[in-house]
Amino acid sequence: MTTYSSWFRAESDHPPVLVAERLSWRVLVLGWFGLLLQGCWIAGLLAGAVSLATWALLGHSALIAPVWLGLHLGLALCTGNIREWELRLNGLTAGPVVVAPGAEAALLRLLERHPGILAPRAATAGE
């Protein structure tokens, strides 16, 4: 079971964005490029700049592998928080938190427990 936080854009009839609070395997393997693939442009480019700066400072020394592994692990563990920060910067607001085995089940559980979550937004968008 995974905890999902829901994020909504004000006055929009789009479904909520669900952010899983777990380790991201894509970011663990790909590092900052994995953040870019998940849509975290600001954090991904900042992490990429840090990665290039460490490579420029350490070059081909033996210290670069542990530093990059630590960076990848730190980014992978904090991917949920990084995505929430980016969504907040993009103007989305936090909604209810649900626990479900997958993203589709989380969306169904969210709409089941809060049936009016999309109705007021769709009604105000039409006015």
Side-chain angles (χ1 to χ4, degrees), residues 23-42:
L23 175 105
S24 172
W25 289 100
R26 180 183 298 163
V27 176
L28 183 64
V29 173
L30 299 176
W32 61 271
F33 188 67
L35 283 174
L36 292 177
L37 290 177
Q38 289 188 356
C40 299
W41 292 98
I42 298 169

Side-chain angles (χ1 to χ4, degrees), residues 1-120:
M1 296 295 261
T2 305
T3 304
Y4 290 88
S5 60
S6 59
W7 292 82
F8 298 91
R9 185 169 303 280
E11 299 178 5
S12 175
D13 58 347
H14 295 290
V17 176
L18 297 175
V19 178
E21 297 294 329
R22 63 176 175 218
L23 175 105
S24 172
W25 289 100
R26 180 183 298 163
V27 176
L28 183 64
V29 173
L30 299 176
W32 61 271
F33 188 67
L35 283 174
L36 292 177
L37 290 177
Q38 289 188 356
C40 299
W41 292 98
I42 298 169
L45 292 175
L46 287 174
V50 168
S51 180
L52 289 175
T54 57
W55 179 75
L57 290 174
L58 298 177
H60 296 288
S61 72
L63 292 176
I64 198 155
V67 170
W68 275 358
L69 288 175
L71 179 65
H72 284 214
L73 182 62
L75 289 173
L77 288 172
C78 297
T79 300
N81 295 333
I82 293 170
R83 286 197 65 207
E84 289 175 356
W85 175 69
E86 292 252 356
L87 291 172
R88 205 174 303 118
L89 285 177
N90 288 327
L92 278 77
T93 56
V97 176
V98 293
V99 178
E104 293 85 14
L107 182 59
L108 287 175
R109 189 168 291 176
L110 177 69
L111 294 176
E112 178 182 277
R113 291 194 179 158
H114 305 280
I117 213 161
L118 290 179

